[in-house]
Amino acid sequence: DIQMTQSPSSVSASVGDRVTITCRASQGISSRLAWYQQKPGKAPKLLIYAASSLQSGVPSRFSGSGSGTDFTLTISSLQPEDFASYYCQQANSFPLTFGGGTKVEIK
Amino acid sequence: QVQLVESGGGVVQPGRSLRLSCAASAFTLSTYGIHWARQAPGKGLEWVAGISYDGSHKYYADSVKGRFTISRDNSMNTLYLQMNSLRAEDTAVYYCAREWRHYDSSGYGAEYFQHWGQGTLVTVSS
């Protein structure tokens, strides 16, 4: 099984800050990676697919990069509605697996 | 608007069974693979199981293999998750999610979760 390791597990930031979250796969997964945002009590929302493609309707301040084993989600200028948890997910092979999550909190 | 609605959650004793349902609307279920994922209280997401559009392929996480069975009734536009031999560690909010298959340059169709239900809580406790 492919293990997905996210870091950091939490980050405190202010509105306007640039935030970077990383995700590392235990083996190469090409660009078959997604990022999701989840707010408390809500279902996750797809932000990025294929490592760097922005899902329709997602603000351009979100961007993704990477391939192989190392990936990054960047929020260029944090907005109040971005305080949430973020998860990566590998789509290379079954069983599909998620990273442990990163909680973005208000500083 | 695409909608997925889970039902069937509740409190169940360890070792007992429960069947979850996921009703789909505003799209033709028979053309999409569907997955179940779960989230234990205060924890992260865990993929549980997936089924292809026609039911011919089924996939399971190691943690539920042999205990859970995913199935679908396309005529009823409904997906199911039969959960047997439930354990305390199965306590979670269970989500169904519609896949979106993206084909990359090699022709591989990677599966992402484009639409999610609101979730149903399963509590395994004596």
Short mmCIF file of all heavy atoms in Angstrom, two decimals, chain A residues 1 30-34 36 38 41-46 49-51 55 87 89 91-100, chain B residues 35 37 39 43-47 50 59-62 95 100 102 104 106-114 116-119:
data_model
loop_
_atom_site.label_atom_id
_atom_site.label_comp_id
_atom_site.label_asym_id
_atom_site.label_seq_id
_atom_site.Cartn_x
_atom_site.Cartn_y
_atom_site.Cartn_z
N ASP A 1 0.84 -1.19 0.00
CA ASP A 1 0.00 0.00 0.00
C ASP A 1 0.88 1.25 0.00
O ASP A 1 1.97 1.26 0.58
CB ASP A 1 -0.93 0.03 1.23
CG ASP A 1 -1.88 -1.15 1.28
OD1 ASP A 1 -1.82 -2.01 0.36
OD2 ASP A 1 -2.67 -1.21 2.23
N SER A 30 3.54 9.21 -9.96
CA SER A 30 3.44 10.10 -11.11
C SER A 30 2.81 11.42 -10.64
O SER A 30 3.25 11.99 -9.64
CB SER A 30 2.63 9.42 -12.21
OG SER A 30 2.58 10.21 -13.37
N SER A 31 1.77 11.89 -11.31
CA SER A 31 1.07 13.11 -10.89
C SER A 31 -0.35 12.81 -10.42
O SER A 31 -1.22 13.68 -10.45
CB SER A 31 1.03 14.11 -12.06
OG SER A 31 2.32 14.54 -12.41
N ARG A 32 -0.55 11.57 -9.97
CA ARG A 32 -1.90 11.13 -9.62
C ARG A 32 -2.22 11.47 -8.17
O ARG A 32 -2.29 10.58 -7.30
CB ARG A 32 -2.03 9.63 -9.92
CG ARG A 32 -1.86 9.35 -11.41
CD ARG A 32 -1.55 7.91 -11.72
NE ARG A 32 -1.20 7.77 -13.14
CZ ARG A 32 -0.50 6.78 -13.64
NH1 ARG A 32 -0.08 5.80 -12.84
NH2 ARG A 32 -0.23 6.73 -14.94
N LEU A 33 -2.39 12.75 -7.94
CA LEU A 33 -2.59 13.23 -6.58
C LEU A 33 -3.63 14.34 -6.58
O LEU A 33 -3.67 15.18 -7.48
CB LEU A 33 -1.28 13.78 -6.01
CG LEU A 33 -1.43 14.27 -4.56
CD1 LEU A 33 -0.74 13.34 -3.60
CD2 LEU A 33 -0.94 15.69 -4.41
N ALA A 34 -4.46 14.32 -5.54
CA ALA A 34 -5.47 15.37 -5.36
C ALA A 34 -5.29 16.01 -4.00
O ALA A 34 -4.72 15.43 -3.08
CB ALA A 34 -6.87 14.77 -5.46
N TYR A 36 -7.77 18.12 -1.09
CA TYR A 36 -9.12 18.42 -0.66
C TYR A 36 -9.07 19.40 0.50
O TYR A 36 -8.15 19.37 1.32
CB TYR A 36 -9.86 17.15 -0.20
CG TYR A 36 -10.01 16.11 -1.27
CD1 TYR A 36 -8.98 15.19 -1.50
CD2 TYR A 36 -11.15 16.04 -2.07
CE1 TYR A 36 -9.10 14.24 -2.50
CE2 TYR A 36 -11.28 15.09 -3.07
CZ TYR A 36 -10.24 14.19 -3.28
OH TYR A 36 -10.36 13.24 -4.28
N GLN A 38 -11.44 20.59 3.83
CA GLN A 38 -12.59 20.19 4.64
C GLN A 38 -12.78 21.16 5.78
O GLN A 38 -11.84 21.43 6.55
CB GLN A 38 -12.43 18.76 5.19
CG GLN A 38 -13.68 18.27 5.91
CD GLN A 38 -13.51 16.89 6.49
OE1 GLN A 38 -12.42 16.49 6.91
NE2 GLN A 38 -14.60 16.12 6.52
N GLY A 41 -17.52 19.72 10.25
CA GLY A 41 -18.89 19.26 10.05
C GLY A 41 -19.33 19.17 8.60
O GLY A 41 -20.50 18.89 8.34
N LYS A 42 -18.41 19.38 7.68
CA LYS A 42 -18.74 19.36 6.25
C LYS A 42 -17.96 18.26 5.53
O LYS A 42 -16.96 17.77 6.02
CB LYS A 42 -18.42 20.71 5.60
CG LYS A 42 -19.17 21.89 6.21
CD LYS A 42 -20.66 21.79 5.97
CE LYS A 42 -21.38 23.03 6.46
NZ LYS A 42 -22.86 22.93 6.25
N ALA A 43 -18.46 17.90 4.36
CA ALA A 43 -17.76 16.95 3.52
C ALA A 43 -16.55 17.62 2.87
O ALA A 43 -16.53 18.84 2.70
CB ALA A 43 -18.68 16.40 2.44
N PRO A 44 -15.55 16.84 2.50
CA PRO A 44 -14.41 17.41 1.80
C PRO A 44 -14.81 17.98 0.44
O PRO A 44 -15.82 17.59 -0.14
CB PRO A 44 -13.47 16.20 1.62
CG PRO A 44 -13.89 15.24 2.68
CD PRO A 44 -15.37 15.42 2.80
N LYS A 45 -13.97 18.89 -0.04
CA LYS A 45 -14.18 19.54 -1.34
C LYS A 45 -12.91 19.38 -2.17
O LYS A 45 -11.81 19.68 -1.67
CB LYS A 45 -14.48 21.02 -1.13
CG LYS A 45 -14.55 21.84 -2.40
CD LYS A 45 -14.70 23.32 -2.06
CE LYS A 45 -14.63 24.20 -3.31
NZ LYS A 45 -14.71 25.64 -2.96
N LEU A 46 -13.05 18.93 -3.39
CA LEU A 46 -11.90 18.76 -4.28
C LEU A 46 -11.38 20.11 -4.74
O LEU A 46 -12.11 20.92 -5.29
CB LEU A 46 -12.31 17.92 -5.50
CG LEU A 46 -11.24 17.66 -6.56
CD1 LEU A 46 -10.08 16.85 -5.99
CD2 LEU A 46 -11.86 16.93 -7.76
N TYR A 49 -6.53 18.46 -8.73
CA TYR A 49 -6.39 17.08 -9.19
C TYR A 49 -5.20 16.99 -10.13
O TYR A 49 -4.70 18.01 -10.60
CB TYR A 49 -7.67 16.59 -9.89
CG TYR A 49 -7.99 17.34 -11.16
CD1 TYR A 49 -7.57 16.87 -12.40
CD2 TYR A 49 -8.71 18.54 -11.12
CE1 TYR A 49 -7.85 17.57 -13.56
CE2 TYR A 49 -8.99 19.24 -12.27
CZ TYR A 49 -8.56 18.75 -13.50
OH TYR A 49 -8.83 19.45 -14.64
N ALA A 50 -4.73 15.78 -10.36
CA ALA A 50 -3.54 15.58 -11.20
C ALA A 50 -2.39 16.47 -10.75
O ALA A 50 -1.66 17.02 -11.58
CB ALA A 50 -3.88 15.80 -12.68
N ALA A 51 -2.26 16.61 -9.46
CA ALA A 51 -1.17 17.32 -8.79
C ALA A 51 -1.20 18.84 -8.95
O ALA A 51 -0.84 19.57 -8.01
CB ALA A 51 0.19 16.80 -9.23
N GLN A 55 -9.46 22.56 -9.82
CA GLN A 55 -10.84 22.17 -10.05
C GLN A 55 -11.67 23.42 -10.38
O GLN A 55 -11.41 24.51 -9.84
CB GLN A 55 -11.40 21.46 -8.81
CG GLN A 55 -12.87 21.09 -8.86
CD GLN A 55 -13.20 20.00 -9.86
OE1 GLN A 55 -12.35 19.55 -10.63
NE2 GLN A 55 -14.44 19.55 -9.87
N TYR A 87 -6.27 17.79 2.91
CA TYR A 87 -5.83 16.41 2.77
C TYR A 87 -5.34 16.15 1.35
O TYR A 87 -5.97 16.61 0.38
CB TYR A 87 -6.98 15.43 3.06
CG TYR A 87 -7.50 15.48 4.47
CD1 TYR A 87 -8.53 16.34 4.84
CD2 TYR A 87 -6.96 14.65 5.46
CE1 TYR A 87 -9.00 16.39 6.13
CE2 TYR A 87 -7.44 14.69 6.76
CZ TYR A 87 -8.45 15.56 7.08
OH TYR A 87 -8.92 15.60 8.37
N GLN A 89 -4.52 13.03 -1.45
CA GLN A 89 -5.02 11.68 -1.76
C GLN A 89 -4.29 11.15 -2.99
O GLN A 89 -4.24 11.84 -4.01
CB GLN A 89 -6.52 11.69 -2.05
CG GLN A 89 -7.10 10.36 -2.52
CD GLN A 89 -7.79 10.45 -3.88
OE1 GLN A 89 -8.39 11.46 -4.22
NE2 GLN A 89 -7.71 9.38 -4.67
N ALA A 91 -4.05 8.71 -6.17
CA ALA A 91 -4.98 8.03 -7.08
C ALA A 91 -4.22 7.10 -8.02
O ALA A 91 -4.70 6.80 -9.12
CB ALA A 91 -5.78 9.06 -7.87
N ASN A 92 -3.04 6.67 -7.59
CA ASN A 92 -2.21 5.84 -8.47
C ASN A 92 -2.62 4.38 -8.44
O ASN A 92 -2.52 3.69 -9.47
CB ASN A 92 -0.74 5.97 -8.04
CG ASN A 92 0.19 5.26 -8.97
OD1 ASN A 92 0.45 5.71 -10.09
ND2 ASN A 92 0.72 4.12 -8.53
N SER A 93 -3.02 3.88 -7.28
CA SER A 93 -3.34 2.47 -7.17
C SER A 93 -4.22 2.22 -5.96
O SER A 93 -4.23 3.01 -5.00
CB SER A 93 -2.07 1.63 -7.07
OG SER A 93 -1.34 1.98 -5.91
N PHE A 94 -4.94 1.11 -5.98
CA PHE A 94 -5.76 0.69 -4.85
C PHE A 94 -4.88 -0.07 -3.85
O PHE A 94 -3.97 -0.82 -4.25
CB PHE A 94 -6.91 -0.18 -5.32
CG PHE A 94 -7.99 0.59 -6.00
CD1 PHE A 94 -8.05 0.66 -7.38
CD2 PHE A 94 -8.95 1.28 -5.27
CE1 PHE A 94 -9.04 1.38 -8.02
CE2 PHE A 94 -9.96 2.00 -5.89
CZ PHE A 94 -10.00 2.06 -7.28
N PRO A 95 -5.11 0.08 -2.55
CA PRO A 95 -6.14 0.94 -1.96
C PRO A 95 -5.78 2.42 -2.07
O PRO A 95 -4.63 2.80 -1.85
CB PRO A 95 -6.17 0.50 -0.50
CG PRO A 95 -4.79 -0.01 -0.23
CD PRO A 95 -4.33 -0.63 -1.51
N LEU A 96 -6.76 3.24 -2.43
CA LEU A 96 -6.56 4.68 -2.44
C LEU A 96 -6.27 5.13 -1.01
O LEU A 96 -6.83 4.57 -0.05
CB LEU A 96 -7.80 5.38 -2.98
CG LEU A 96 -8.27 4.90 -4.37
CD1 LEU A 96 -9.56 5.64 -4.77
CD2 LEU A 96 -7.19 5.09 -5.41
N THR A 97 -5.40 6.10 -0.85
CA THR A 97 -5.02 6.52 0.49
C THR A 97 -4.93 8.03 0.59
O THR A 97 -4.58 8.73 -0.37
CB THR A 97 -3.67 5.91 0.90
OG1 THR A 97 -2.74 6.02 -0.19
CG2 THR A 97 -3.82 4.43 1.26
N PHE A 98 -5.26 8.52 1.79
CA PHE A 98 -5.20 9.94 2.10
C PHE A 98 -4.00 10.22 3.01
O PHE A 98 -3.55 9.34 3.76
CB PHE A 98 -6.45 10.38 2.86
CG PHE A 98 -7.70 10.44 2.04
CD1 PHE A 98 -8.56 9.34 1.99
CD2 PHE A 98 -8.05 11.58 1.34
CE1 PHE A 98 -9.73 9.38 1.25
CE2 PHE A 98 -9.22 11.64 0.59
CZ PHE A 98 -10.06 10.52 0.55
N GLY A 99 -3.52 11.43 2.96
CA GLY A 99 -2.57 11.89 3.95
C GLY A 99 -3.28 12.14 5.26
O GLY A 99 -4.51 12.15 5.33
N GLY A 100 -2.50 12.36 6.31
CA GLY A 100 -3.06 12.52 7.65
C GLY A 100 -3.76 13.85 7.88
O GLY A 100 -4.44 14.01 8.89
N HIS B 35 -17.52 5.52 -4.29
CA HIS B 35 -16.65 5.09 -3.20
C HIS B 35 -17.27 5.44 -1.85
O HIS B 35 -18.11 6.33 -1.75
CB HIS B 35 -15.29 5.77 -3.31
CG HIS B 35 -14.55 5.45 -4.56
ND1 HIS B 35 -13.51 4.55 -4.59
CD2 HIS B 35 -14.71 5.89 -5.83
CE1 HIS B 35 -13.05 4.46 -5.83
NE2 HIS B 35 -13.76 5.26 -6.60
N ALA B 37 -15.84 6.55 1.99
CA ALA B 37 -14.72 6.96 2.83
C ALA B 37 -15.29 7.24 4.22
O ALA B 37 -16.49 7.45 4.37
CB ALA B 37 -14.04 8.20 2.26
N GLN B 39 -14.46 8.92 8.41
CA GLN B 39 -13.66 9.82 9.24
C GLN B 39 -14.04 9.59 10.69
O GLN B 39 -15.16 9.93 11.11
CB GLN B 39 -13.91 11.27 8.84
CG GLN B 39 -12.99 12.27 9.49
CD GLN B 39 -13.09 13.63 8.82
OE1 GLN B 39 -14.15 14.05 8.37
NE2 GLN B 39 -11.96 14.34 8.74
N LYS B 43 -10.42 12.71 13.65
CA LYS B 43 -9.32 12.12 12.88
C LYS B 43 -9.42 12.49 11.40
O LYS B 43 -10.30 13.23 10.98
CB LYS B 43 -9.35 10.59 13.04
CG LYS B 43 -9.27 10.11 14.46
CD LYS B 43 -7.96 10.49 15.13
CE LYS B 43 -7.85 9.92 16.52
NZ LYS B 43 -6.58 10.33 17.20
N GLY B 44 -8.49 11.94 10.62
CA GLY B 44 -8.43 12.23 9.20
C GLY B 44 -9.32 11.31 8.37
O GLY B 44 -10.06 10.47 8.90
N LEU B 45 -9.25 11.50 7.06
CA LEU B 45 -10.06 10.73 6.14
C LEU B 45 -9.42 9.37 5.86
O LEU B 45 -8.20 9.25 5.77
CB LEU B 45 -10.20 11.49 4.82
CG LEU B 45 -10.95 12.82 4.89
CD1 LEU B 45 -10.73 13.61 3.60
CD2 LEU B 45 -12.42 12.59 5.13
N GLU B 46 -10.26 8.36 5.70
CA GLU B 46 -9.80 7.02 5.33
C GLU B 46 -10.70 6.48 4.22
O GLU B 46 -11.90 6.39 4.40
CB GLU B 46 -9.84 6.08 6.54
CG GLU B 46 -9.39 4.66 6.20
CD GLU B 46 -9.59 3.67 7.33
OE1 GLU B 46 -10.33 3.97 8.29
OE2 GLU B 46 -9.03 2.57 7.26
N TRP B 47 -10.11 6.14 3.11
CA TRP B 47 -10.87 5.49 2.04
C TRP B 47 -11.22 4.08 2.50
O TRP B 47 -10.40 3.37 3.09
CB TRP B 47 -10.04 5.45 0.77
CG TRP B 47 -10.68 4.69 -0.35
CD1 TRP B 47 -11.64 5.13 -1.21
CD2 TRP B 47 -10.40 3.34 -0.71
NE1 TRP B 47 -11.97 4.14 -2.10
CE2 TRP B 47 -11.23 3.02 -1.81
CE3 TRP B 47 -9.54 2.35 -0.23
CZ2 TRP B 47 -11.23 1.77 -2.44
CZ3 TRP B 47 -9.52 1.11 -0.84
CH2 TRP B 47 -10.37 0.83 -1.93
N GLY B 50 -14.56 0.93 -2.91
CA GLY B 50 -15.00 1.52 -4.16
C GLY B 50 -15.57 0.46 -5.09
O GLY B 50 -15.21 -0.72 -4.99
N TYR B 59 -13.21 -2.77 -4.70
CA TYR B 59 -11.94 -2.58 -4.02
C TYR B 59 -12.21 -2.24 -2.56
O TYR B 59 -13.17 -1.56 -2.25
CB TYR B 59 -11.15 -1.44 -4.67
CG TYR B 59 -10.98 -1.58 -6.17
CD1 TYR B 59 -11.90 -0.98 -7.03
CD2 TYR B 59 -9.93 -2.28 -6.72
CE1 TYR B 59 -11.77 -1.10 -8.40
CE2 TYR B 59 -9.78 -2.40 -8.11
CZ TYR B 59 -10.72 -1.81 -8.94
OH TYR B 59 -10.57 -1.93 -10.29
N TYR B 60 -11.30 -2.72 -1.68
CA TYR B 60 -11.49 -2.51 -0.26
C TYR B 60 -10.18 -2.13 0.42
O TYR B 60 -9.10 -2.58 0.02
CB TYR B 60 -12.02 -3.79 0.41
CG TYR B 60 -13.37 -4.23 -0.10
CD1 TYR B 60 -13.46 -5.17 -1.13
CD2 TYR B 60 -14.54 -3.71 0.44
CE1 TYR B 60 -14.71 -5.58 -1.61
CE2 TYR B 60 -15.79 -4.11 -0.04
CZ TYR B 60 -15.85 -5.04 -1.06
OH TYR B 60 -17.08 -5.44 -1.53
N ALA B 61 -10.30 -1.34 1.47
CA ALA B 61 -9.17 -1.09 2.35
C ALA B 61 -8.89 -2.36 3.15
O ALA B 61 -9.81 -3.13 3.46
CB ALA B 61 -9.47 0.07 3.30
N ASP B 62 -7.63 -2.57 3.49
CA ASP B 62 -7.26 -3.76 4.27
C ASP B 62 -8.02 -3.82 5.59
O ASP B 62 -8.34 -4.91 6.07
CB ASP B 62 -5.75 -3.74 4.54
CG ASP B 62 -4.93 -3.98 3.29
OD1 ASP B 62 -5.49 -4.43 2.28
OD2 ASP B 62 -3.72 -3.69 3.32
N TYR B 95 -18.92 8.64 4.45
CA TYR B 95 -19.30 9.42 3.29
C TYR B 95 -19.31 8.55 2.03
O TYR B 95 -18.41 7.73 1.86
CB TYR B 95 -18.28 10.54 3.03
CG TYR B 95 -18.15 11.60 4.09
CD1 TYR B 95 -17.13 11.55 5.02
CD2 TYR B 95 -19.02 12.69 4.12
CE1 TYR B 95 -16.98 12.54 5.97
CE2 TYR B 95 -18.87 13.69 5.07
CZ TYR B 95 -17.85 13.61 5.99
OH TYR B 95 -17.70 14.60 6.93
N TRP B 100 -14.46 10.94 -10.09
CA TRP B 100 -14.21 11.61 -11.35
C TRP B 100 -12.92 11.05 -11.88
O TRP B 100 -11.87 11.16 -11.22
CB TRP B 100 -14.13 13.12 -11.16
CG TRP B 100 -13.81 13.82 -12.44
CD1 TRP B 100 -14.50 13.76 -13.60
CD2 TRP B 100 -12.69 14.67 -12.66
NE1 TRP B 100 -13.88 14.52 -14.55
CE2 TRP B 100 -12.76 15.10 -14.01
CE3 TRP B 100 -11.64 15.11 -11.87
CZ2 TRP B 100 -11.83 15.94 -14.57
CZ3 TRP B 100 -10.71 15.97 -12.44
CH2 TRP B 100 -10.81 16.37 -13.77
N HIS B 102 -9.84 10.96 -14.20
CA HIS B 102 -9.03 11.82 -15.06
C HIS B 102 -7.96 10.98 -15.73
O HIS B 102 -7.17 10.31 -15.06
CB HIS B 102 -8.37 12.92 -14.22
CG HIS B 102 -7.44 13.79 -15.01
ND1 HIS B 102 -6.06 13.64 -14.96
CD2 HIS B 102 -7.68 14.80 -15.88
CE1 HIS B 102 -5.50 14.53 -15.76
NE2 HIS B 102 -6.46 15.24 -16.32
N ASP B 104 -4.59 10.55 -17.67
CA ASP B 104 -3.35 11.28 -17.90
C ASP B 104 -2.72 10.86 -19.23
O ASP B 104 -3.30 10.08 -19.99
CB ASP B 104 -2.39 11.13 -16.73
CG ASP B 104 -2.01 9.68 -16.44
OD1 ASP B 104 -2.05 8.84 -17.38
OD2 ASP B 104 -1.66 9.37 -15.29
N SER B 106 -0.49 8.89 -20.03
CA SER B 106 -0.21 7.47 -20.24
C SER B 106 -1.47 6.67 -20.49
O SER B 106 -1.41 5.47 -20.78
CB SER B 106 0.50 6.89 -19.01
OG SER B 106 -0.39 6.82 -17.91
N GLY B 107 -2.62 7.32 -20.39
CA GLY B 107 -3.90 6.64 -20.59
C GLY B 107 -4.48 6.06 -19.31
O GLY B 107 -5.56 5.46 -19.34
N TYR B 108 -3.80 6.26 -18.18
CA TYR B 108 -4.32 5.74 -16.91
C TYR B 108 -5.41 6.66 -16.39
O TYR B 108 -5.24 7.88 -16.37
CB TYR B 108 -3.18 5.64 -15.89
CG TYR B 108 -3.62 5.07 -14.57
CD1 TYR B 108 -3.69 3.69 -14.37
CD2 TYR B 108 -3.98 5.90 -13.51
CE1 TYR B 108 -4.10 3.15 -13.16
CE2 TYR B 108 -4.38 5.38 -12.29
CZ TYR B 108 -4.45 4.01 -12.12
OH TYR B 108 -4.85 3.49 -10.93
N GLY B 109 -6.50 6.07 -15.93
CA GLY B 109 -7.61 6.85 -15.38
C GLY B 109 -7.54 6.93 -13.87
O GLY B 109 -7.96 6.01 -13.17
N ALA B 110 -7.00 8.01 -13.37
CA ALA B 110 -6.89 8.20 -11.93
C ALA B 110 -8.24 8.63 -11.36
O ALA B 110 -8.97 9.41 -11.98
CB ALA B 110 -5.84 9.27 -11.62
N GLU B 111 -8.58 8.11 -10.20
CA GLU B 111 -9.89 8.34 -9.62
C GLU B 111 -9.83 9.34 -8.48
O GLU B 111 -9.18 9.09 -7.45
CB GLU B 111 -10.49 7.02 -9.13
CG GLU B 111 -10.70 6.03 -10.27
CD GLU B 111 -11.37 4.74 -9.83
OE1 GLU B 111 -12.31 4.81 -9.04
OE2 GLU B 111 -10.93 3.67 -10.30
N TYR B 112 -10.53 10.43 -8.65
CA TYR B 112 -10.66 11.46 -7.63
C TYR B 112 -12.11 11.54 -7.20
O TYR B 112 -13.00 11.02 -7.86
CB TYR B 112 -10.18 12.81 -8.18
CG TYR B 112 -8.78 12.76 -8.74
CD1 TYR B 112 -8.55 12.83 -10.11
CD2 TYR B 112 -7.67 12.61 -7.90
CE1 TYR B 112 -7.26 12.77 -10.62
CE2 TYR B 112 -6.39 12.54 -8.40
CZ TYR B 112 -6.19 12.62 -9.77
OH TYR B 112 -4.92 12.55 -10.27
N PHE B 113 -12.37 12.22 -6.07
CA PHE B 113 -13.71 12.30 -5.51
C PHE B 113 -14.27 13.70 -5.72
O PHE B 113 -13.89 14.63 -5.03
CB PHE B 113 -13.68 11.94 -4.03
CG PHE B 113 -12.97 10.64 -3.75
CD1 PHE B 113 -11.92 10.58 -2.86
CD2 PHE B 113 -13.34 9.48 -4.41
CE1 PHE B 113 -11.26 9.38 -2.61
CE2 PHE B 113 -12.69 8.28 -4.18
CZ PHE B 113 -11.63 8.23 -3.28
N GLN B 114 -15.17 13.80 -6.70
CA GLN B 114 -15.65 15.11 -7.12
C GLN B 114 -16.87 15.57 -6.33
O GLN B 114 -17.02 16.76 -6.06
CB GLN B 114 -15.96 15.09 -8.60
CG GLN B 114 -16.34 16.43 -9.18
CD GLN B 114 -16.64 16.34 -10.65
OE1 GLN B 114 -17.16 15.34 -11.14
NE2 GLN B 114 -16.32 17.40 -11.41
N TRP B 116 -19.47 14.65 -2.94
CA TRP B 116 -19.58 13.92 -1.69
C TRP B 116 -20.98 14.09 -1.10
O TRP B 116 -21.61 15.13 -1.28
CB TRP B 116 -18.58 14.46 -0.66
CG TRP B 116 -17.14 14.31 -1.02
CD1 TRP B 116 -16.46 14.96 -2.03
CD2 TRP B 116 -16.17 13.50 -0.35
NE1 TRP B 116 -15.13 14.58 -2.02
CE2 TRP B 116 -14.93 13.70 -1.00
CE3 TRP B 116 -16.22 12.63 0.75
CZ2 TRP B 116 -13.75 13.05 -0.59
CZ3 TRP B 116 -15.05 12.00 1.15
CH2 TRP B 116 -13.83 12.21 0.48
N GLY B 117 -21.42 13.07 -0.35
CA GLY B 117 -22.62 13.22 0.44
C GLY B 117 -22.31 13.96 1.73
O GLY B 117 -21.17 14.36 1.98
N GLN B 118 -23.33 14.11 2.57
CA GLN B 118 -23.14 14.84 3.83
C GLN B 118 -22.65 13.96 4.95
O GLN B 118 -22.24 14.45 6.01
CB GLN B 118 -24.47 15.52 4.23
CG GLN B 118 -25.44 14.65 5.00
CD GLN B 118 -26.07 13.55 4.16
OE1 GLN B 118 -25.99 13.56 2.93
NE2 GLN B 118 -26.72 12.59 4.83
N GLY B 119 -22.69 12.65 4.74
CA GLY B 119 -22.17 11.70 5.71
C GLY B 119 -23.24 11.16 6.65
O GLY B 119 -24.26 11.81 6.91
#
